[in-house]
Amino acid sequence: MDKLKLIKLGQAAGFTLSEMEGMLNIEHRTVIDRDLLSFRAKEIDSMVSKFRLLSKGIKHVLHCSELDHSHCEEFREVIARGLRIIKKL
């Protein structure tokens, strides 16, 4: 595979150029750092989970039938979850 394509893919996954250089440039061979890849995959999975929760909350607010959201139990739970997510970001 073309190294430029691998670099673009790595950047999209959040790897730095320095991290990718170590995996792609040792004696002109691709050397996979499985620990680094595993760590990054876990970070991405965590971010995806957080964004799913945030999206769910936004969609609830969009479709909530309560005129005053402060009276909606699910809305209050969405706010509490959102605040916990923000603290972790």
Side-chain angles (χ1 to χ4, degrees), residues 24-82:
L24 299 176
N25 202 20
I26 296 175
E27 298 175 7
H28 303 289
R29 294 186 355 242
T30 301
V31 177
I32 303 300
D33 182 339
R34 294 186 191 282
D35 290 335
L36 181 59
L37 290 178
S38 176
F39 176 76
R40 187 64 188 139
K42 288 175 185 175
E43 285 184 328
I44 291 170
D45 289 343
S46 176
M47 289 177 3
V48 167
S49 294
K50 290 173 187 175
F51 285 125
R52 281 193 180 131
L53 283 173
L54 290 171
S55 176
K56 182 179 177 183
I58 290 169
K59 288 174 184 172
H60 171 76
V61 171
L62 177 67
H63 299 291
C64 184
S65 61
E66 288 284 346
L67 294 176
D68 182 348
H69 291 301
S70 66
H71 292 114
C72 175
E73 181 63 30
E74 188 171 345
F75 177 74
R76 289 193 301 266
E77 289 174 15
V78 164
I79 295 298
R81 279 189 305 236

Side-chain angles (χ1 to χ4, degrees), residues 1-10 20 24 30:
M1 179 179 268
D2 180 2
K3 288 194 184 211
L4 185 56
K5 290 178 184 176
L6 286 174
I7 290 170
K8 287 181 180 181
L9 182 61
M20 288 184 286
L24 299 176
T30 301

